[in-house]
Amino acid sequence: MPSPNTNQFDQIWQVAIKRYEEVTHKKLDDLNLKNLDSIAGLERAIDQKNGNMTEFRAKRSMLFKVLRNALIPVELLAKLGAGDASAAFPPSSLVFGAVTYLIAAAKDVSSNYDSIRDLMVSLQDFTTRLKIYNRENISEELQLQLAEVLTTLLEVFALARKAIKRGRVIGFVRSVVLARDPDVKGALEKLNTLTKSEDLLVGAETHTEVTRQGRTVNEVVTVVSESQVEIREGRMDNREMHNELMTMLKGTQSMSYEKSNPREKVKKTLRPSVFPLDTYKRLAKDKVPGTGEWIFAEKVFTAWAVDKTFPVLFIQGIPGAGKSFLSTNMISYFTEQFPQGVQSSARVSICYFFFKDNNPETRSIHQALRDLAFQVCLNDAVYAKHVETTCLSFDDVKSIESAWQKLFVEFFVENEDLDSTAILILDGLDEAYETERVTFLPLLQEMKPDGRGVSRLQLALVGRPHLSDEITDALEQDTVPTISIDGSKNSDDITSYIQSSIRKSRILKKVSKELQNLVTMALTERANGMFLWVDLMMRELNHKNRESAIREALEKAPKGLDEMIRHVLEGLSESLSSEDAQDLNEMLAWVTCAKKPLTLGHLDAILRYGSPTGDGLITLESMLRKTYASFFLLTREDGLSTTDLLNFNQNTSAYEDDVSSEDDEPGFRDTQTLFESNPLTTEIAFCHASIGDFFRNRSQGKVQSADGPPIGVDIDDANFKTLRTIFMLCTDKSMQEKAPDQSFLTNYAAPLWKPHMQDTNISKTRAQDKKALGPVLIKFCRDPHVIETWAYSRGYDFWLDDYVAVFRRWLDDEELLSSLPSEDQEWIKSTAQHPASVFIELAKFTAMKWLQDMWWIPGACAWSVFGYRQRIAGVQLRPSEEGLEGAHNIVESAEWAGYERNALWHRRLAIALRDNFFLDEAQRHFEIALELDSTMWRIKFGLARIASLRQEYQKAIDFATKEIEVIQAYPAKEPEFKDVQLSYAMQLKGDYYSELKDDENAYIFYRQASATNASNYKAVKKCVAYLDDRNQHQELIELIKEVFETPNRSPYLVRYTAAEQDDSEYMNTITQPTRRAARETGELPYLVDKIREAVDFCRHNRLSRNAIQLEVYLADIYHHEHISSDRAIRIWEHIRRMATGPTDYVLANAQVRSTKMLATYYSTRARETTGLERAQYVSSLEAMAKSRGRLGESYNLSAASMILGQWYHLNGQSEEANACFQVHVKLALEALSDDDPDNDDEAFINLGVALLCAGDEVNASAVLQKLFGISKDPEKPEDDPPARIVSAQDQPDTNQADSTVDIVASEGSGDDLASSIDPGADDDFPLPVHCDGLCSEEKRMARKDPIWICRFCANISFCEECFTLLKADKLPINQCSPQHSWMRFQATKKIIPASQMLIGEAEFVDFEEWKKGLKQNWGLG
């Protein structure tokens, strides 16, 4: 019998459904939702919709965890509350469906997922308590009460989805923020009221006879609200501030970070990709050992690689001949000969790029040049400094010509004073853009030998034979040195490949030896040098189960690669069903036509769109990796291949092998099971470029067996179908709702419709197809709702590039035009005079988002509207980098939109003006806005920003004070959102006080800001620095505990490392002071627990870069705080063993740090031990200090070689010691001899340390005086005194462990010296050196302070106080040793002319002559 409340329950749910659909304009009657009645089903649906999105993949694990915790009770309650209700959809289906729509609305934006996850965490506090209702039957009254709760929950999800959707921003602005939405708050307050219902709580307690203790409802609502504003938190400065604009706006906000982090500056300038390393690793893994060695015996190769008699070598081969594997072999050969890395003393850089035609980035020669340059930077510090100082921004290398000149010619060709060389390998040049190739190749004429007749820049071009004439003509040579790959040279390689494949084949390895030999011989003879032909043939043989079938297949083997591909397609036609063939054809078409690599998620969505039922393939990945492996290559983020996955044991961990106790940190694990790759990030491409060429060839078409379905690609038909699908994704709501999540392909379609349009041949498109596409194009450019689906990916460049021309080419086509309704035809004709006016709705929509909305970037919107107006006026558009000529351009663009000029209009216009540096106009409009609405606190924020830009900081403080007052008085409908704004306003006020050098008031407001919002990392850092400087350790640790314990989805340290751009220097601003405070207050165990918690979180969420930084921090604490040096050593050793790539500078920095710490430890232990134990430590030190190559061993540039050299020096091994130090001295002198003064300080430091470790303390002191002294350039005397380079015999004996040598430059007593003393020298002037003892690493010692520098530890110094503690063995941290030896140094007050060096106490010598003498002493010529 139905419950008496059934009808009432149904009515409640009908109202809920109607309300949801009114809010979201999203139907909840999707049949796919009806079966969505469990958490498991919900997770599957979310995966299907979002699986190909990068940010979703990163957040998936934690998101699903909180979903389960929050919604399992909902699943139970929905069924219980509905009773026997007759609703078409169960309540759980509607709630779960709303959740899937909410997550889909996140559009792969990280902060959106974070917000949703926090909402679920908050709801968990409520829903977990409700699990008790499933224990017994409940009353009808309580049943209806629960129905109200569930419908309110549905409304919360609806309003959240609406807010997120409304918060989408244009494509050239990366940050996304959630609108401040009072409706969402209202729904949360309603939920709050229901959860506080006395009847509900009393009924719960009565039913279960259990009293539960949980959070108060106010806490629940607070955290739920936090989820709604987490996206808005996105930092207000990121949304409306200058540093968040696209590159066309000239910003200065990031200057300080770039200055402190040169590598980040180089990376930002070059914008390198990860493609070269990923491709090399994959090819190297698949390469058969011993193959490709023949090329090293080629005379042409020797002349190019060894003798360097010519700079350019061309290596040619037909498709499938193994060119990329040969390139990989050359890379391996050279990197073995010249080990790469910033610490290598071999200044030979091995750089490479693999062109692939399936991705715009991997087809770009411009991208290749920047990738090559970045690889050189990571290997050659001198070159890195060249890039840093000569390429100030991306604009300096914006073109192929400028990139080649700046990055290669100026350094390797024109500068003959350097020893750096580079070997460049460009593979697959035929797959690069032809237009870029035409530009690039003639530039190679500039490559020429230096004055010694040797080329320092060697280039190998690898590609198909047709490039030969192109290269020869471009270089204006009769011939270009060439190596050809053919069957006569690689037949042995093919034989080895076949034999290796047989050993791996489950079929062929079981057949008779005679048949194996026959397979090897037959395939080698018929391969004609083509590995791809062999590969396809081997795949066919692996499907034969009888030896007779194998023999028959060998006899019928097709000739040539195209015939082989057709043969494979015919075989698939025979074996596949019509349905499977249709799916395969769809995938082939999309991969052939795609303008960037598709993912598993993309293909899954494509198949669902094409399915009448919306179903995808359950075993899609398995089919791609097995059935269709002849065509497709799947690339995972972790680089694991199909073979790797088949052999993978997820329960093993290399790092855990080193763990000897359960307290040790577990290593990273791959939790994926077989063929469960991440659909968001696993990319699909053809396994060889020749396959794509085949399918793009119009003469090939589809292949069909006698009775099977056709298989293949009709390229013209495929181009049109993909184009139509792309536009339908943006315009057809029913199509969008058919698939689980249209965002998979909508995100692909929005930015790439133009290249798809370009590649679709309109003349070969059928009239009926044009007729079908016409209305779609009209809707695409005229419907504001449709425009919103793709406008976010378009900015000023839309008008600057040829988007309009490409689109008009289709609209103006006679067949398409005549098929449209008459009103549409007339509209198109009316736009003929101004072709860009077909996109007037795009301009209007952007103007609305600029002037009537709160969340799109005003400056970028203004540029886009300006671009449209310029096009309509027929004005030639200027590159955005040139800026706008006047404020009137922005003002007139705002006036063009025709909106009411209210306070919001003026404020948003003012922001656009300010961000384009029209400050006077901006201030005027801010003031008008303030007159219209004095309660709009953001106006005062804008005025404060203008004052700060003018450096009127007191005025900025006054505005900020008023801003804070207005925010505090603002109605607290959303307290968390208010807190974020308030915290930021307080932080800015602190910044302004800091600019006025008022540290006390600055700290007051930084502290208020951090207390208001712990995620204001800048405010926290400022407070930490202030307290640390004043040794207020207790207050500091209280602050740290406060922020660490702030409720959040992830540990504070994880969020901090991510926010600080993974930079170790920024990490130290909080980690080192925190360590000191924890030591002084006895809170080290607490700190260690928090770091371990953060590391564990990083590992489980695959945040490897964050984990590495935190592990280095943890190891430092273990070691320096006497907790466990053994654990620290295991962490350092583990980090050193990790493979690093060209762009992974975080790991590279961690490895540098780990190397130094291990070297210091091994050296110290070697001094403390004897016999075999000492020999083992020395051997470990030597292993770190040396690099092994084909030419033997050489000392690298790491701290290990410096420390090893000092060990050799103390033990009388002079030759070995000099070899260690020589590489450091050479690099430092080169840096001091170049034209770049910015690298001199680092060079002086490195040179001083090397000379000190080598025992040359007089010259080491001279270097330090030059570095720390008072440098002026008085009039140079006519006769400079001759340089004196102190010889080894002049050096004090530093071999005794307890020796301390006092190197102090006195002020002298004669009149000749008195004139060189600076009477205004500041004794408290901070030197660029810090104490490595108890003092802060951020505190620098002053000129008056004596500095004690350890001779045994590379670059370790102490102040007088810490040195006294160290000598007495009372230094509480594990740093250096009382048994070591030190040099005492104190900076002079003498003026040291820029052209001179101060030797000893009073002798001035010419700097250039001093360097020359030092070179001679070290055998550097």
Side-chain angles (χ1 to χ4, degrees):
M1 292 287 293
S3 166
N5 286 330
T6 295
N7 292 335
Q8 191 173 355
F9 190 96
D10 286 349
Q11 292 173 4
I12 292 173
W13 273 104
Q14 289 304 318
V15 171
I17 294 170
K18 183 177 180 180
R19 171 62 177 152
Y20 182 93
E21 293 175 352
E22 287 176 351
V23 170
T24 65
H25 306 292
K26 184 81 173 175
K27 291 290 186 181
L28 274 175
D29 59 358
D30 189 338
L31 292 177
N32 289 326
L33 299 182
K34 189 163 187 178
N35 297 322
L36 198 60
D37 58 358
S38 68
I39 298 297
L42 172 64
E43 291 178 351
R44 285 194 298 271
I46 292 172
D47 264 336
Q48 290 168 352
K49 289 185 175 185
N50 303 273
N52 73 329
M53 296 182 180
T54 302
E55 295 299 334
F56 173 80
R57 186 269 310 160
K59 307 288 184 181
R60 180 186 182 278
S61 177
M62 289 302 295
L63 189 62
F64 276 15
K65 180 179 179 181
V66 296
L67 281 177
R68 294 185 202 107
N69 292 337
L71 297 181
I72 284 177
V74 174
E75 177 182 342
L76 298 172
L77 280 174
K79 296 175 181 178
L80 190 61
D84 298 321
S86 59
F89 290 86
S92 60
S93 298
L94 297 179
V95 174
F96 293 164
V99 172
T100 63
Y101 291 155
L102 173 60
I103 292 175
K107 296 289 185 183
D108 202 34
V109 176
S110 176
S111 54
N112 286 354
Y113 292 129
D114 293 343
S115 179
I116 294 168
R117 181 173 63 179
D118 283 351
L119 173 60
M120 294 302 170
V121 170
S122 306
L123 292 177
Q124 179 183 335
D125 296 330
F126 159 62
T127 59
T128 301
R129 182 157 41 91
L130 298 181
K131 290 180 181 180
I132 56 179
Y133 291 127
N134 75 329
R135 299 182 183 178
E136 300 182 27
N137 293 328
I138 60 175
S139 67
E140 296 173 2
E141 182 180 13
L142 189 54
Q143 183 183 23
L144 293 178
Q145 188 87 31
L146 290 175
E148 291 285 356
V149 170
L150 292 172
T151 55
T152 304
L153 185 62
L154 188 68
E155 184 174 6
V156 169
F157 290 148
L159 293 168
R161 181 182 187 275
K162 177 183 178 182
I164 287 179
K165 291 285 286 185
R166 193 168 59 203
R168 290 295 296 170
V169 297
I170 49 184
F172 47 71
V173 180
R174 299 285 180 90
S175 63
V176 181
V177 287
L178 181 63
R180 183 173 178 272
D181 197 315
D183 293 335
V184 176
K185 182 63 178 177
L188 293 172
E189 290 173 349
K190 181 179 178 182
L191 183 61
N192 178 24
T193 301
L194 289 170
T195 57
K196 288 195 298 186
S197 169
E198 185 69 16
D199 289 340
L200 182 59
L201 297 178
V202 171
E205 292 173 347
T206 302
H207 251 39
T208 61
E209 300 178 358
V210 175
T211 302
R212 296 178 56 103
Q213 182 178 4
R215 293 186 181 182
T216 65
V217 174
N218 285 337
E219 288 176 321
V220 173
V221 173
T222 296
V223 183
V224 171
S225 299
E226 180 180 356
S227 70
Q228 303 299 319
V229 301
E230 179 73 17
I231 298 169
R232 285 171 303 209
E233 185 171 323
R235 303 193 191 111
M236 291 298 291
D237 50 325
N238 282 345
R239 193 168 56 246
E240 292 186 340
M241 301 313 300
H242 178 74
N243 65 325
E244 192 56 27
L245 291 177
M246 52 187 289
T247 55
M248 63 184 174
L249 299 180
K250 302 174 182 177
T252 59
Q253 295 283 331
S254 60
M255 290 290 288
S256 60
Y257 172 70
E258 292 173 6
K259 187 175 181 179
S260 65
N261 188 344
R263 182 173 289 178
E264 181 66 21
K265 180 181 177 182
V266 169
K267 186 177 181 183
K268 184 175 181 180
T269 298
L270 297 179
R271 302 180 186 177
S273 73
V274 299
F275 299 117
L277 179 66
D278 289 348
T279 306
Y280 170 72
K281 283 184 175 179
R282 175 177 59 79
L283 292 170
K285 186 186 301 182
D286 293 339
K287 179 180 172 294
V288 177
T291 57
E293 300 287 338
W294 58 267
I295 193 171
F296 306 129
E298 293 281 308
K299 293 181 179 179
V300 176
F301 180 86
T302 302
W304 172 76
V306 180
D307 303 332
K308 299 183 179 179
T309 55
F310 51 86
V312 179
L313 171 67
F314 179 47
I315 301 174
Q316 65 176 12
I318 61 176
K323 296 184 295 296
S324 294
F325 282 103
L326 192 64
S327 296
T328 301
N329 204 38
M330 289 194 296
I331 295 167
S332 299
Y333 170 84
F334 285 125
T335 53
E336 288 177 13
Q337 185 174 348
F338 305 106
Q340 300 295 284
V342 292
Q343 296 181 328
S344 174
S345 61
R347 299 268 293 286
V348 180
S349 300
I350 312 303
C351 314
Y352 51 89
F353 192 88
F354 295 86
F355 291 100
K356 299 295 177 186
D357 65 0
N358 63 345
N359 189 327
E361 285 187 86
T362 56
R363 296 192 68 187
S364 169
I365 290 179
H366 188 235
Q367 180 68 58
L369 293 177
R370 290 183 280 118
D371 280 358
L372 295 172
F374 192 70
Q375 292 170 36
V376 181
C377 286
L378 296 181
N379 182 67
D380 190 329
V382 177
Y383 178 83
K385 181 58 67 173
H386 163 79
V387 174
E388 180 191 347
T389 54
T390 62
C391 305
L392 302 181
S393 71
F394 179 76
D395 290 341
D396 290 329
V397 292
K398 191 174 183 180
S399 66
I400 291 176
E401 295 91 338
S402 61
W404 178 250
Q405 178 66 28
K406 285 279 187 182
L407 300 176
F408 297 99
V409 175
E410 289 184 5
F411 186 84
F412 290 106
V413 178
E414 295 178 351
N415 192 337
E416 296 188 0
D417 296 330
L418 301 174
D419 291 334
S420 299
T421 62
I423 298 174
L424 315 180
I425 299 174
L426 295 179
D427 179 80
L429 187 63
D430 49 281
E431 298 185 51
Y433 287 118
E434 183 177 0
T435 54
E436 293 193 5
R437 215 166 52 229
V438 170
T439 301
F440 170 65
L441 288 176
L443 301 178
L444 303 184
Q445 295 182 43
E446 298 178 81
M447 296 176 65
K448 57 182 181 297
D450 60 16
R452 296 166 294 179
V454 176
S455 174
R456 294 195 296 114
L457 187 64
Q458 299 293 106
L459 173 63
L461 304 174
V462 185
R464 297 183 183 181
H466 71 265
L467 290 181
S468 180
D469 290 342
E470 191 174 326
I471 295 171
T472 301
D473 293 344
L475 296 180
E476 297 181 0
Q477 298 179 1
D478 295 333
T479 59
V480 173
T482 301
I483 297 175
S484 297
I485 308 172
D486 54 42
S488 65
K489 294 177 180 177
N490 69 358
S491 60
D492 289 342
D493 292 344
I494 287 179
T495 298
S496 297
Y497 177 73
I498 296 169
Q499 291 171 344
S500 175
S501 300
I502 290 174
R503 289 192 295 270
K504 296 176 183 178
S505 169
R506 62 183 179 84
I507 298 293
L508 295 177
K509 68 180 179 181
K510 296 179 181 179
V511 304
S512 65
K513 192 68 175 178
E514 180 269 333
L515 182 54
Q516 290 180 359
N517 292 336
L518 177 62
V519 169
T520 302
M521 182 179 65
L523 296 187
T524 301
E525 289 178 353
R526 301 179 189 180
N528 194 27
M530 291 184 291
F531 283 88
L532 179 58
W533 184 93
V534 172
D535 183 70
L536 293 172
M537 196 65 204
M538 290 296 295
R539 292 180 184 278
E540 180 179 354
L541 297 180
N542 280 328
H543 288 90
K544 308 298 182 182
N545 285 315
R546 297 179 184 276
E547 290 198 2
S548 59
I550 295 174
R551 295 177 188 275
E552 182 181 358
L554 289 174
E555 292 175 0
K556 295 181 178 180
K559 295 180 179 180
L561 191 54
D562 286 351
E563 286 303 313
M564 186 71 239
I565 295 174
R566 294 182 66 85
H567 178 72
V568 174
L569 292 173
E570 185 176 352
L572 289 171
S573 177
E574 290 178 354
S575 61
L576 294 180
S577 66
S578 297
E579 185 178 22
D580 287 342
Q582 183 177 350
D583 289 337
L584 174 58
N585 286 337
E586 191 76 10
M587 291 188 289
L588 289 173
W590 272 90
V591 175
T592 300
C593 300
K595 305 309 172 191
K596 70 174 186 180
L598 300 174
T599 65
L600 268 175
H602 283 131
L603 286 189
D604 179 66
I606 289 165
L607 296 179
R608 291 177 184 276
Y609 286 129
S611 169
T613 58
D615 292 334
L617 292 178
I618 298 173
T619 59
L620 173 60
E621 183 176 2
S622 181
M623 295 181 72
L624 290 169
R625 290 188 181 276
K626 293 182 176 180
T627 309
Y628 308 141
S630 299
F631 297 126
F632 298 110
L633 173 69
L634 281 71
T635 304
R636 289 168 41 126
E637 265 189 318
D638 54 17
L640 295 178
S641 65
T642 300
T643 302
D644 294 330
L645 294 174
L646 288 169
N647 298 327
F648 191 69
N649 180 359
Q650 67 180 35
N651 295 319
T652 61
S653 170
Y655 191 25
E656 287 184 333
D657 292 340
D658 297 327
V659 176
S660 59
S661 73
E662 60 184 9
D663 289 336
D664 291 318
E665 326 307 319
F668 291 99
R669 296 186 179 186
D670 187 337
T671 56
Q672 299 284 355
T673 56
L674 182 61
F675 293 166
E676 291 182 356
S677 301
N678 191 329
L680 275 157
T681 59
T682 302
E683 295 184 346
I684 316 295
F686 288 128
C687 59
H688 197 276
S690 300
I691 295 175
D693 293 342
F694 176 89
F695 289 124
R696 283 186 288 271
N697 188 337
R698 286 186 172 84
S699 65
Q700 296 296 345
K702 296 183 178 181
V703 178
Q704 187 173 10
S705 64
D707 300 317
I711 305 288
V713 175
D714 180 329
I715 188 60
D716 292 319
D717 183 61
N719 274 328
F720 177 78
K721 285 183 177 178
T722 54
L723 177 67
R724 186 173 185 273
T725 300
I726 281 172
F727 281 110
M728 292 293 287
L729 286 167
C730 298
T731 59
D732 190 337
K733 197 170 184 179
S734 63
M735 183 176 182
Q736 295 171 358
E737 295 176 354
K738 177 181 178 181
D741 185 0
Q742 72 277 10
S743 61
F744 267 115
L745 282 177
T746 302
N747 289 342
Y748 171 90
L752 292 175
W753 57 263
K754 187 190 83 168
H756 276 276
M757 258 191 156
Q758 287 174 311
D759 283 358
T760 303
N761 192 328
I762 194 170
S763 65
K764 293 185 178 295
T765 303
R766 295 172 298 183
Q768 60 266 37
D769 289 335
K770 294 178 183 178
K771 182 177 180 180
L773 183 62
V776 177
L777 297 183
I778 296 295
K779 192 174 183 179
F780 181 81
C781 65
R782 299 195 70 183
D783 188 332
H785 296 293
V786 170
I787 290 173
E788 187 171 9
T789 66
W790 63 271
Y792 69 90
S793 65
R794 303 271 67 88
Y796 176 73
D797 287 346
F798 181 87
W799 312 108
L800 190 63
D801 295 338
D802 56 350
Y803 283 89
V804 173
V806 172
F807 195 83
R808 291 277 337 197
R809 183 165 60 90
W810 282 80
L811 279 189
D812 295 335
D813 178 79
E814 286 298 329
E815 286 185 321
L816 187 148
L817 184 62
S818 62
S819 69
L820 293 171
S822 57
E823 58 269 24
D824 289 336
Q825 293 186 38
E826 291 302 318
W827 173 76
I828 292 174
K829 293 176 181 177
S830 70
T831 64
Q833 185 175 356
H834 302 292
S837 62
V838 294
F839 286 109
I840 188 174
E841 293 300 331
L842 172 62
K844 289 180 178 179
F845 180 81
T846 306
M848 182 273 291
K849 287 293 186 181
W850 169 19
L851 301 163
Q852 299 293 297
D853 190 84
M854 298 282 284
W855 312 115
W856 281 35
I857 302 297
C861 293
W863 267 95
S864 184
V865 176
F866 169 73
Y868 172 78
R869 293 178 58 247
Q870 292 290 91
R871 284 294 298 267
I872 295 300
V875 177
Q876 181 68 34
L877 294 184
R878 303 167 55 191
S880 57
E881 294 80 5
E882 296 180 10
L884 293 169
E885 291 183 343
H888 67 278
N889 286 310
I890 297 177
V891 175
E892 291 169 3
S893 295
E895 293 170 344
W896 169 85
Y899 290 111
E900 177 188 357
R901 301 181 188 183
N902 53 22
L904 177 61
W905 187 92
H906 282 283
R907 185 179 76 84
R908 298 281 287 176
L909 171 58
I911 295 171
L913 290 164
R914 182 197 66 203
D915 291 340
N916 283 278
F917 298 98
F918 302 118
L919 299 186
D920 292 340
E921 282 293 312
Q923 180 166 340
R924 187 172 72 84
H925 284 281
F926 273 130
E927 291 170 348
I928 295 173
L930 192 60
E931 292 175 4
L932 295 173
D933 186 352
S934 61
T935 66
M936 189 177 288
W937 58 265
R938 290 187 184 87
I939 300 172
K940 297 179 178 63
F941 167 84
L943 289 168
R945 284 287 298 154
I946 288 179
S948 68
L949 290 173
R950 290 171 170 162
Q951 298 185 353
E952 299 171 348
Y953 296 113
Q954 186 56 56
K955 185 181 291 186
I957 289 171
D958 295 339
F959 281 124
T961 302
K962 295 175 183 178
E963 176 189 0
I964 291 171
E965 292 172 353
V966 174
I967 298 175
Q968 289 174 329
Y970 198 76
K973 291 184 178 180
E974 293 183 81
E976 290 73 22
F977 182 48
K978 176 179 175 178
D979 287 347
V980 170
Q981 306 300 327
L982 186 59
S983 174
Y984 185 68
M986 291 170 172
Q987 176 226 300
L988 285 180
K989 190 171 180 180
D991 290 344
Y992 303 148
Y993 273 118
S994 182
E995 292 290 347
L996 294 175
K997 310 301 181 185
D998 187 346
D999 293 339
E1000 284 69 27
N1001 273 318
Y1003 171 72
I1004 290 172
F1005 287 97
Y1006 286 138
R1007 189 67 184 90
Q1008 291 178 7
S1010 66
T1012 305
N1013 175 28
S1015 293
N1016 189 330
Y1017 304 113
K1018 179 178 181 180
V1020 173
K1021 284 194 302 179
K1022 292 291 187 179
C1023 290
V1024 167
Y1026 179 88
L1027 296 172
D1028 185 53
D1029 285 343
R1030 290 156 180 79
N1031 294 322
Q1032 295 177 229
H1033 301 304
Q1034 188 60 45
E1035 291 84 350
L1036 199 159
I1037 205 66
E1038 289 172 1
L1039 167 65
I1040 291 301
K1041 284 189 172 184
E1042 177 184 309
V1043 297
F1044 277 12
E1045 301 302 331
T1046 303
N1048 200 282
R1049 65 191 179 278
S1050 60
Y1052 186 86
L1053 281 171
V1054 177
R1055 290 178 279 131
Y1056 181 84
T1057 55
E1060 295 306 329
Q1061 306 179 60
D1062 298 330
D1063 184 74
S1064 58
E1065 293 181 12
Y1066 276 77
M1067 276 285 292
N1068 287 339
T1069 61
I1070 190 171
T1071 55
Q1072 300 305 328
T1074 300
R1075 189 182 110 198
R1076 281 186 290 276
R1079 180 198 313 125
E1080 295 297 326
T1081 57
E1083 294 288 357
L1084 281 172
Y1086 170 82
L1087 181 59
V1088 168
D1089 286 344
K1090 286 299 176 182
I1091 300 171
R1092 289 171 63 107
E1093 174 188 328
V1095 171
D1096 185 61
F1097 179 91
C1098 291
R1099 288 177 180 153
H1100 282 89
N1101 291 275
R1102 299 186 176 281
L1103 304 173
S1104 59
R1105 289 159 63 87
N1106 305 79
I1108 289 167
Q1109 281 192 300
L1110 291 170
E1111 283 178 320
V1112 171
Y1113 182 31
L1114 183 61
D1116 281 351
I1117 295 178
Y1118 280 156
H1119 177 70
H1120 290 304
E1121 303 300 336
H1122 298 284
I1123 296 175
S1124 175
S1125 290
D1126 288 342
R1127 293 182 184 178
I1129 290 165
R1130 282 199 293 274
I1131 291 175
W1132 292 328
E1133 289 177 340
H1134 165 64
I1135 291 174
R1136 285 197 71 250
R1137 289 195 300 268
M1138 295 178 70
T1140 183
T1143 59
D1144 199 349
Y1145 58 89
V1146 170
L1147 176 55
N1149 286 339
Q1151 289 177 331
V1152 170
R1153 171 70 176 173
S1154 298
T1155 296
K1156 178 181 178 182
M1157 295 306 299
L1158 280 172
T1160 303
Y1161 173 78
Y1162 292 151
S1163 174
T1164 299
R1165 293 295 294 141
R1167 291 184 178 89
E1168 297 172 348
T1169 56
T1170 59
L1172 180 60
E1173 188 176 3
R1174 167 182 287 187
Q1176 290 174 339
Y1177 284 120
V1178 173
S1179 177
S1180 297
L1181 183 57
E1182 288 175 331
M1184 288 196 299
K1186 296 178 180 180
S1187 298
R1188 184 180 298 276
R1190 287 177 180 259
L1191 300 181
E1193 290 184 331
S1194 60
Y1195 292 105
N1196 55 41
L1197 285 165
S1198 69
S1201 65
M1202 192 89 76
I1203 293 171
L1204 177 63
Q1206 212 273 344
W1207 166 265
Y1208 287 149
H1209 171 69
L1210 291 178
N1211 286 275
Q1213 298 173 259
S1214 300
E1215 185 176 346
E1216 291 86 349
N1218 288 341
C1220 289
F1221 298 131
Q1222 188 182 57
V1223 294
H1224 296 275
V1225 173
K1226 178 183 178 182
L1227 180 63
L1229 290 176
E1230 286 182 357
L1232 292 173
S1233 301
D1234 62 22
D1235 297 328
D1236 174 23
D1238 291 342
N1239 62 3
D1240 287 356
D1241 283 357
E1242 182 180 356
F1244 274 127
I1245 291 173
N1246 293 333
L1247 180 59
V1249 172
L1251 294 175
L1252 175 63
C1253 290
D1256 187 356
E1257 296 190 357
V1258 172
N1259 280 318
S1261 179
V1263 169
L1264 296 179
Q1265 294 292 7
K1266 185 71 172 179
L1267 180 65
F1268 301 155
I1270 303 167
S1271 179
K1272 294 184 180 179
D1273 202 0
E1275 227 173 272
K1276 189 175 180 180
E1278 291 183 6
D1279 296 316
D1280 286 335
R1284 181 174 71 87
I1285 301 300
V1286 183
S1287 67
Q1289 288 79 5
D1290 297 324
Q1291 303 304 319
D1293 183 8
T1294 59
N1295 286 355
Q1296 299 303 314
D1298 62 348
S1299 77
T1300 58
V1301 177
D1302 194 353
I1303 305 285
V1304 182
S1306 68
E1307 297 181 5
S1309 57
D1311 293 338
D1312 56 332
L1313 294 179
S1315 61
S1316 65
I1317 296 174
D1318 186 352
D1322 182 5
D1323 283 346
D1324 293 319
F1325 182 81
L1327 301 177
V1329 62
H1330 60 256
C1331 175
D1332 292 297
L1334 291 177
C1335 301
S1336 168
E1337 289 198 13
E1338 301 305 315
K1339 295 178 183 175
R1340 292 180 172 179
M1341 288 181 275
R1343 179 176 286 120
K1344 66 182 180 182
D1345 299 325
I1347 304 171
W1348 293 91
I1349 307 172
C1350 181
R1351 298 188 181 93
F1352 294 178
C1353 307
N1355 204 13
I1356 294 294
S1357 307
F1358 296 97
C1359 66
E1360 186 76 34
E1361 182 179 355
C1362 290
F1363 176 70
T1364 301
L1365 291 173
L1366 175 65
K1367 284 291 290 180
D1369 201 14
K1370 294 181 180 180
L1371 191 68
I1373 63 172
N1374 187 8
Q1375 182 76 283
C1376 197
S1377 169
Q1379 306 305 316
H1380 287 186
S1381 172
W1382 305 267
M1383 179 185 85
R1384 184 180 185 273
F1385 171 84
Q1386 188 160 13
T1388 182
K1389 290 184 180 180
K1390 288 187 174 72
I1391 298 173
I1392 303 177
S1395 62
Q1396 295 184 6
M1397 295 286 289
L1398 175 62
I1399 303 296
E1401 298 182 357
E1403 183 177 1
F1404 288 94
V1405 299
D1406 179 75
F1407 181 45
E1408 293 300 323
E1409 290 298 320
W1410 178 84
K1411 286 192 299 180
K1412 183 178 179 181
L1414 201 61
K1415 287 182 180 180
Q1416 292 175 349
N1417 278 1
W1418 284 94
L1420 300 175

